[in-house]
Amino acid sequence: MFAAMQPAEPRHPAEQGPPSATTDSPTPEAEQVSFGFRTVAAEEKAGLVRGVFDSVADRYDLMNDLMSGGIHRLWKKAMIDWLDPRLGQTMLDVAGGTGDIALRILERWGGAEKAAASGGRILVCDLTPAMLAKGRDRGVDRGHLGGIEWIAGNAEALPLESMSVDAYTIAFGLRNVTHIDRALAEARRVLKPGGRFLCLEFSHVVLPMLDRLYDIYSFSVLPTLGRVVAKDEASYRYLAESIRRFPRQEDLVAMIEAAGLAQVRYRNLSGGIAALHSAWRI
């Protein structure tokens, strides 16, 4: 169903992917990347991230509410409002295992029947099967027995054809990929010309004083909530650390542009605690 298709145009340099094993470039074993504040071998990170989300899947949505005081719901509404999804489009939500963004799009469309009648499709791709299972269960609980396709896959090598989706969304997932540049290149590859890229991610606080309060919250309150509610302090400490490692707003703009996407803009949310980045494949 998702067999690879040759793109109709030469691939942008950012889409070329990792070097061949026959080149003189360093082997993957030699590459080191960040996992929170730790440094790990690149080939280990995806498994470590999967382990984090396997651990927190059952209480992920509850923890989001506790961690943000429910504000993440407003951020996601702002994302959907800016996306303005239209019936008949093919929407891809990456790292969207619990279905939060996909279900919002489906409900904005008026449900699965209206989506199907218009030819619209929603695809959710996530690295962690436990998160996908949680998303399917949420959909059933809300009465949506169809309308969303759930796919296990890596953001750096999406199991989709080139130029096959009208919009690519990723909410609170980009900071967890091993190579952000490769994930962005994949976003461009699967987008149709004229397609929209939209990323919601924790970012860097821009308001004076708020940054210190946010640091105290992130490294004291958040791990405690993880220990008490999710019985997993380490995973929530990693999540806090991964936020601090994520590129600043303007740096992410430059990375998105380097991937070949255009008209890049961003909006700070809650003083920069989160940010929305928008771009287009021209």
Side-chain angles (χ1 to χ4, degrees), residues 131-167:
M131 295 287 278
L132 291 167
K134 201 70 179 175
R136 281 192 294 264
D137 291 346
R138 288 185 69 194
V140 171
D141 289 345
R142 293 192 189 186
H144 302 303
L145 302 181
I148 301 174
E149 299 175 38
W150 307 89
I151 307 162
N154 192 317
E156 296 183 36
L158 294 169
L160 277 78
E161 297 176 344
S162 298
M163 296 182 287
S164 60
V165 303
D166 296 290

Side-chain angles (χ1 to χ4, degrees), residues 55-74:
S55 174
V56 303
D58 285 344
R59 294 178 179 263
Y60 183 76
D61 297 310
L62 170 62
M63 283 299 297
N64 278 344
D65 282 328
L66 293 175
M67 286 188 301
S68 70
I71 295 174
H72 76 100
R73 299 173 183 270
L74 299 178

Side-chain angles (χ1 to χ4, degrees), residues 70-79 104 269:
I71 295 174
H72 76 100
R73 299 173 183 270
L74 299 178
W75 295 339
K76 290 169 181 173
K77 181 181 184 303
M79 183 183 199
R104 287 168 185 268
L269 304 173

Side-chain angles (χ1 to χ4, degrees), residues 181-196:
D181 56 342
R182 294 183 192 174
L184 294 173
E186 277 291 272
R188 183 185 184 277
R189 180 183 69 80
V190 300
L191 280 169
K192 298 175 184 178
R196 179 81 178 278

